[in-house]
Amino acid sequence: MGSNLARNLASREGNTVAVFNRSYEKTETLITEHPEAGFIATSSYEEFAAALQKPRTAIIMVQAGRGTDAVIDALTAVFEPGDIIVDGGNALFTDTIRREAAVRATGINFVGAGISGGEEGALNGPSIMPGGSAEAWQTLGPILRSIAAVAEGEPCVTHVGTDGAGHFVKMIHNGIEYADMQLIAEAYDLLRRVGGLEPAEIAEVFAEWNTGELESYLIEITAEVLRQVDASTGKPLVDVILDQAGAKGTGAWTVQTALDLGVPVSGIAEAVFARSLSSKPAQRAAASAMPAAAAEWAPDDRAAFVEDVRRALYASKIIAYSQGFDAIVAGAEQYDWDIKKGEIAKIWRAGCIIRAQFLNRITEAYAADPELVALVTAPYFTEAVAGALPAWRRIVSGAALAGIPTPTFASSLSYYDGLRADRLPAALVQGQRDFFGAHTYKRVDKEGTFHTLWSGDRTEISATDAH
Ligand code: 6PG
């Protein structure tokens, strides 16, 4: 990804890019393979710093973790106040907050920038989510704008907020990516197991869906994956790929952070857990003989069933984005970032993995009401979910009866029903908490905090008398 980003930078008018890798061999290979880029090869940090115009800008692309700290230290030693160090990896935003403060103390700017789009995006135009200071953005903005993807004439980059804001938003992007992928996988599973469609046929269904409101990069590539036939066995490739999903951690970070912030990102969490469950072969083998007590599900009208799955997917996707944006709002409040939600939706329209037509609707929703309390409550999304509801319920209940796991479809529907409920059984939870821990409760009919004397005469007292 780093070399592709460097090639992207070098291809822009007026740019000369110096490159450095700890292994000089890799640098040489890059230079030899891409003479058109006109790279300046450097073999030490000193040489690299000397090759750059001031104020210097360096973009680090290394595996997130301790390696990043080592590179930052090395660059800080050879850079000068006013220079800029950009970390373009998938760093944990709290690391970025820490690094930004430490580097800023030297007078050098540090910018944590989320970069999405994989290797191809890095080369042809990624979606970029930079944090860091406004001062650094002055210099960095034009550079990043020149290499970013373009959506409807606008570059997919904006100054997200200070210090770790960029990496925070990239983390949420990845959380949504996990949910989106799992939702598509559940739709595929239903189309195959209930609809009786073969992978190549499902590829056609996805290609068709990609022409409507579900249009997105992930739907598009899913069709490609499902069309692929394995050369050695002649089977659909998807049938010979081991069904254990990997993860590098950004989805788990999203969920851990959301737990800390108290934001229910249940769809994203289920997507992370679905990968974890898939990767437990011993447990799966041990459980494989357990009873299903499942009913056969054979819809009479296959086309209607396919349409139900599409609607359930769309509604669940709206929930995943709504939850992701809730996490952004909570993060912005907690860390004091001025994040413009509509701008984030805009820069996700092209270049990144979750790019989708539907992001325009999110931008419109936040433009109409910047203080929107939950994306799903915006008129467009409320209407979209309402239209999908009967289908969504048929799919989730049908899958439960048939014994087909749909963790993200089901949890998203449950979240929706929870959110719209007049009364929740949380009242009973409060009663239980008060019973065993005197944790007190509030009442619907009067002000104050109360406790029932559960082990005494069970009268209610004001919480000031409770312990
Ligand atoms: C992107 C991707 C990219 C990547 C992650 C997630 O935006 O370009 O999100 O960052 O695919 O590494 O990978 P895992 O699925 O392995 O966690």
Side-chain angles (χ1 to χ4, degrees), residues 1 90 115-118 170 173-174 177-178 246-251 275 353:
M1 204 166 160
N90 268 336
I115 302 183
S116 177
K170 174 59 168 53
H173 164 284
N174 281 28
E177 173 185 304
Y178 273 57
K248 292 203 195 72
T250 48
R275 290 197 195 185
I353 304 298

Side-chain angles (χ1 to χ4, degrees), residues 271-294:
V272 175
F273 291 141
R275 290 197 195 185
S276 314
L277 185 151
S278 78
S279 302
K280 296 271 177 285
Q283 289 188 353
R284 288 176 60 190
S288 64
M290 289 169 73

Side-chain angles (χ1 to χ4, degrees), residues 381-438:
F381 293 112
T382 305
E383 213 177 288
V385 170
L389 263 177
W392 201 7
R393 295 199 190 286
R394 277 193 292 274
I395 290 298
V396 170
S397 58
L401 289 171
I404 297 172
T406 55
T408 45
F409 276 17
S411 71
S412 304
L413 178 57
S414 210
Y415 168 87
Y416 174 78
D417 281 330
L419 201 61
R420 62 170 198 85
D422 283 343
R423 275 293 279 165
L424 286 169
L428 180 58
V429 173
Q430 284 295 80
Q432 292 163 335
R433 292 177 69 241
D434 190 57
F435 187 101
F436 63 68

Side-chain angles (χ1 to χ4, degrees), residues 93 96 111-115 127-134 136-137 140-141 144-145 155-173 325 327-329 331-333 335-348:
F93 75 97
T96 303
V111 174
I115 302 183
S127 167
I128 313 176
M129 294 147 254
S133 68
W137 175 243
L140 202 55
L144 298 185
R145 266 189 221 109
C156 291
V157 57
T158 188
H159 183 218
V160 173
T162 53
D163 55 60
H167 276 145
F168 181 90
V169 165
K170 174 59 168 53
M171 176 188 74
I172 302 296
H173 164 284
F325 275 90
I328 291 177
V329 170
E333 204 173 300
Y335 295 98
D336 206 15
W337 296 318
D338 181 22
I339 300 181
K340 309 267 185 304
K341 280 93 68 185
E343 287 298 306
I344 301 305
K346 269 190 175 181
I347 65 165
W348 286 349

Side-chain angles (χ1 to χ4, degrees), residues 116-118 127 173 177 180-181 216-218 221 351-355:
S116 177
S127 167
H173 164 284
E177 173 185 304
D180 227 343
M181 292 168 75
S216 63
Y217 172 71
L218 284 170
I221 64 159
C352 67
I353 304 298
I354 63 169
R355 60 187 182 258

